[in-house]
Amino acid sequence: MSITTTNERVNLVGLTREDLLEAMSSIGEKPLRAKQLWHWIYFRGATDFATMTDLSKPLRAKLRDRFVVARPKVTREQTSTDGTRKWLFEFTGGQKAETVFIPEEDRGTVCISSQIGCTLTCRFCHTGTQRLVRNLTPSEIVGQLMAARDSYGEWPTPTDERRLLSNVVLMGMGEPLYNFDNVVAAMRIAMADDGIAIGRRRITLSTSGVVPEIHRCGKELNVNLAISLHAPDDDTRNVIMPINKKYPLKELIKACRNYPGARNARRITFEYVMLKGFNDTTSHARALLKLVKGLPCKFNLIPFNPWPGTPYECSDESTIQTFAELLWNAGYSAPIRTPRGRDILAACGQLKTDSEKLSVRKSRLQTDTAWKGREAVF
Ligand code: SAH
Ligand code: SF4
């Protein structure tokens, strides 16, 4: 990243260690300053140079003139009766995306977005119908997590086990492997021990199956991997996920088998959205078992979350149950996701902000059907 300090003040959030060093050298400061700033920004969560008391006053003034330490702007924050919290962020350019926090007994998961919209147009996904698509920057990606921490006052980084925001899933808007460089930069910041310190085993990246990047993901991040599978054969998957024509199941499963750690206890998660009469029969379940044979994995069965205009319906409860039992009986973990944050529309696959306001009627419709499919995934 090239650092410019001429026109606008540069946001230090999202800068890697190397970027910070470069930023300090660009203003004639020693490398030690970068180290101190890193600590203030990523360990203590400071947003105001005035609080950085181990820096001299003249230096603080100099920094304030050239830099900011800013989060994406929170335009709405809502907390569900079940504790799920949702933020609507506004990014540079006015585009918006949502971030969700799902507290559980033994952990708390922040679900973050990697793009505004998504280019992949999966037929069951509302995000894929959004016109406007752009990559989020490292600052905007890690900034969502930092803003979520701000909201819970979880700074400095807790060093004990009682951390509220302990896990991250890249399952919000967008395809993280189509914005991989920025995701890598953001996740490396999130993982650094002397900063936010979320271990790679507590981070899960969900992809629709961008095969060549799965390999890179293993090499460069080695976080947990979740695959949006949603069908056990190419014919079925081609209908709902156009990316399958580019990277068919054989290649996708091969990439999963080669993912680091897939051979030892670190199982890959296959997400499977339950679509009535489409992918939910017992023969689909049997085909699924055949497909993943010998691969250490688990399933996440996601009841389809409908949105206005969708051609699909959610499978019946009993059908989902039968499907799940078939997988359980074969020895796989296959939880059926239950609704979270219904009252605040913290819904999976419904993330289509496009800065459009929901009409009251539409918003009620979504409240009735909204559920949260990404909680407790890992
Ligand atoms: N692009 C990535 C990550 C974001 S989507 C991916 O596709 O994996 C997060 C999850 O929500 C994916 O498993 C996606 O398939 C699922 N999803 C999308 N729309 C949905 C809907 N309407 N109901 C239930 N799950 C949905
Ligand atoms: Fe994009 Fe994922 Fe939605 Fe497909 S399911 S359109 S890849 S966000």
Side-chain angles (χ1 to χ4, degrees):
M1 172 181 294
S2 69
I3 308 289
T4 48
T5 56
T6 41
N7 300 325
E8 283 177 16
R9 292 191 294 167
V10 170
N11 188 3
L12 294 180
V13 169
L15 297 198
T16 60
R17 277 181 218 280
E18 299 73 41
D19 295 336
L20 262 184
L21 278 167
E22 200 183 320
M24 287 308 99
S25 98
S26 76
I27 58 164
E29 289 295 332
K30 291 190 287 212
L32 174 67
R33 302 292 167 239
K35 203 171 171 211
Q36 287 170 299
L37 275 170
W38 178 278
H39 179 80
W40 281 109
I41 297 169
Y42 297 125
F43 182 78
R44 305 191 71 101
T47 51
D48 184 352
F49 292 112
T51 62
M52 304 185 181
T53 44
D54 59 352
L55 304 177
S56 70
K57 276 196 177 157
L59 174 57
R60 282 185 251 160
K62 189 168 158 187
L63 290 170
R64 207 174 38 239
D65 284 346
R66 293 165 172 83
F67 303 107
V68 289
V69 182
R71 319 284 192 240
K73 189 168 143 205
V74 178
T75 59
R76 194 172 62 217
E77 179 181 296
Q78 291 168 283
T79 307
S80 160
T81 47
D82 70 12
T84 301
R85 187 170 291 182
K86 189 176 83 167
W87 300 268
L88 180 66
F89 289 110
E90 185 177 322
F91 300 100
T92 316
Q95 296 109 339
K96 292 179 180 159
E98 286 174 330
T99 300
V100 180
F101 173 65
I102 309 114
E104 288 168 274
E105 242 169 60
D106 58 341
R107 67 187 138 185
T109 305
V110 187
C111 176
I112 60 187
S113 296
S114 55
Q115 297 182 306
I116 307 271
C118 183
T119 50
L120 283 171
T121 62
C122 300
R123 282 198 75 196
F124 52 85
C125 176
H126 208 192
T127 305
T129 66
Q130 184 162 320
R131 267 178 306 117
L132 213 122
V133 182
R134 85 155 165 89
N135 284 336
L136 292 177
T137 63
S139 169
E140 291 166 335
I141 298 169
V142 76
Q144 295 170 58
L145 174 59
M146 295 172 83
R149 272 193 159 189
D150 292 346
S151 164
Y152 286 92
E154 206 165 46
W155 300 105
T157 299
T159 42
D160 57 24
E161 287 300 303
R162 283 169 303 153
R163 209 189 250 223
L164 220 55
L165 280 67
S166 58
N167 291 45
V168 168
V169 291
L170 282 151
M171 285 192 187
M173 261 194 193
E175 170 49 61
L177 295 188
Y178 271 179
N179 184 20
F180 193 55
D181 290 340
N182 289 354
V183 165
V184 168
M187 290 304 107
R188 283 203 176 136
I189 292 170
M191 288 192 281
D193 280 346
D194 54 351
I196 300 168
I198 296 189
R200 64 183 171 83
R201 283 165 199 277
R202 291 187 174 271
I203 298 178
T204 300
L205 183 146
S206 174
T207 177
S208 56
V210 189
V211 167
E213 303 294 314
I214 290 177
H215 177 67
R216 264 188 80 199
C217 183
K219 231 170 75 185
E220 293 179 37
L221 280 179
N222 199 7
V223 293
N224 299 323
L225 187 65
I227 304 283
S228 293
L229 196 61
H230 306 324
D233 60 80
D234 285 326
D235 286 345
T236 312
R237 201 166 188 262
N238 283 342
V239 176
I240 47 173
M241 301 186 73
I243 195 168
N244 196 67
K245 292 179 190 144
K246 197 162 179 191
Y247 305 115
L249 280 173
K250 198 167 166 219
E251 288 177 35
L252 178 57
I253 298 298
K254 189 170 162 217
C256 291
R257 288 189 201 277
N258 291 333
Y259 195 75
R263 281 172 301 274
N264 20 356
R266 232 165 118 228
R267 291 170 296 168
I268 284 172
T269 302
F270 288 115
E271 294 156 276
Y272 200 97
V273 62
M274 302 300 299
L275 303 169
K276 191 177 195 163
F278 181 78
N279 64 356
D280 61 354
T281 65
T282 49
S283 45
H284 288 117
R286 280 194 205 92
L288 197 55
L289 289 172
K290 213 167 146 197
L291 181 75
V292 303
K293 206 168 181 289
L295 174 63
C297 65
K298 52 190 169 181
F299 297 94
N300 250 322
L301 302 181
I302 316 179
F304 172 61
N305 186 27
W307 36 273
T310 174
Y312 296 103
E313 274 179 71
C314 182
S315 310
D316 299 329
E317 232 177 282
S318 62
T319 310
I320 302 179
Q321 190 68 23
T322 308
F323 196 96
E325 274 166 23
L326 233 137
L327 303 179
W328 296 338
N329 291 340
Y332 290 92
S333 159
I336 303 164
R337 291 297 147 209
T338 46
R340 288 289 300 263
R342 269 176 193 265
D343 49 338
I344 58 161
L345 306 176
C348 190
Q350 282 200 323
L351 302 180
K352 178 183 182 292
T353 51
D354 208 359
S355 307
E356 61 194 359
K357 289 217 169 59
L358 291 176
S359 68
V360 175
R361 208 196 129 271
K362 208 166 155 194
S363 135
R364 271 205 210 104
L365 183 78
Q366 291 199 349
T367 310
D368 290 345
T369 53
W371 67 281
K372 182 72 200 65
R374 285 162 291 183
E375 84 278 21
V377 192
F378 311 93

